[in-house]
Amino acid sequence: MARRRTILWIGAATAIVILLVAGLTVGELAITPGEALAALFGAGERGTSVIVLEWRLPRLVMGALLGAALGLSGALFQIITRNPLGSPDVLGFSTGAFTGALVVMLGSISGYFATAIGALIGGLVTAAIVWLLVIRRGAAGFRLIVAGIGITALINAVNTVMITGADDRDALSAAIWGAGSLNGVESFWIAPSLVVLLLCALATAWLHPALTLHELGDDTSTSLGARSSRLRLFAMLIGVVLVAFATAVAGPIAFVALAAPQIARRLWITGPVPLTASAVSGAVLLMASDLVAQRILAPTILPTGIVTICLGGLYLVWALARRGRLT
């Protein structure tokens, strides 16, 4: 088992390197690996350096960071719900974050910082509503998912009404942003994204022993000293911050948080959902999806969220078919 995991980590690192090389060299303006490497070390031509350092590298780095954030968020929600469908997409937190950002965008408030704050508030408000709906009868995973599905449907209707009633230009901009895309992501987002991811990863590491006990069941974890309700609340807050920040930067990119933890779980063959492996799987999944979005209909660049939705749909079909065969 240890040898298998070592091979998997080497494979994951190799996949990230391959995606980095492909992302830096493939495009309408083709660049050789040697030219890309020279640009990274400041020795390339001016035009090549601009393409590599200012256009392509920030997009790749942000794809890795946001993918890792979504993967970790999905792992946290799947652990606290004990359900492979327990992701922020299904629970409504991604939709709520989009609503918060949408209010800011359609309210004539400009600026990335304001959009980020709006997305965070929207995600937290949605989480609070879902929590209040289930807390009286215990915040069990199934209740969280059912409440989240209901809230998602309601918020989607609210989002549609807001976009329909907005000015045509604002509505089109909001609709495009709502598809989820890394188009236009700039390098100044790298530092805050890294800080948010590291802080949330540290908080998750602090919760890790309790999360491990939680997967044994409420009765067992409580007898061993874990407080399930408090753990769910803290884990939910961390997960909401991660998905809200990712939504503020790139829009609501669907299915990465849903699929990445289960991909990691199946590859690493673990009982519990592996947190670090989920983050790495999310990074690889989003980087690969973004590369496909850029090249599949080139020179037209698709929103990354369209590709992840297609991949997520295929994943759900496969998961349901597999479960059907097992039953």
Side-chain angles (χ1 to χ4, degrees), residues 83-260:
N83 193 309
L85 295 179
S87 78
D89 308 315
V90 176
L91 295 174
F93 305 142
S94 299
T95 309
F98 177 42
T99 304
L102 198 58
V103 169
V104 172
M105 295 173 66
L106 299 182
S108 300
I109 304 174
S110 60
Y112 286 112
F113 182 75
T115 304
I117 294 298
L120 179 59
I121 293 174
L124 290 174
V125 169
T126 305
I129 293 172
V130 173
W131 184 261
L132 291 174
L133 287 174
V134 301
I135 191 61
R136 288 187 177 181
R137 295 188 177 183
F142 180 74
R143 294 191 185 97
L144 278 173
I145 292 174
V146 172
I149 291 172
I151 291 297
T152 299
L154 177 62
I155 296 176
N156 272 326
V158 172
N159 292 346
T160 301
V161 170
M162 285 196 293
I163 293 175
T164 302
D167 176 79
D168 289 346
R169 183 176 179 180
D170 292 338
L172 179 60
S173 176
I176 293 174
W177 186 83
S181 176
L182 295 178
N183 294 337
V185 171
E186 300 182 15
S187 58
F188 71 83
W189 276 111
I190 293 177
S193 299
L194 184 60
V195 170
V196 170
L197 181 59
L198 287 177
L199 290 176
C200 290
L202 289 173
T204 302
W206 177 65
L207 290 178
H208 185 261
L211 290 170
T212 303
L213 292 178
H214 178 77
E215 291 200 283
L216 299 176
D218 285 344
D219 294 337
T220 302
S221 61
T222 301
S223 67
L224 294 174
R227 298 183 178 181
S228 296
S229 295
R230 182 178 297 181
L231 174 65
R232 287 192 184 98
L233 179 60
F234 288 153
M236 185 182 293
L237 287 175
I238 297 170
V240 168
V241 169
L242 287 168
V243 74
F245 189 84
T247 301
V249 175
I253 297 177
F255 283 111
V256 174
L258 175 66

Side-chain angles (χ1 to χ4, degrees), residues 11-34:
T14 303
I16 290 176
V17 171
I18 292 173
L19 289 170
L20 283 172
V21 173
L24 292 176
T25 57
V26 176
E28 290 302 302
L29 299 173
I31 295 174
T32 66

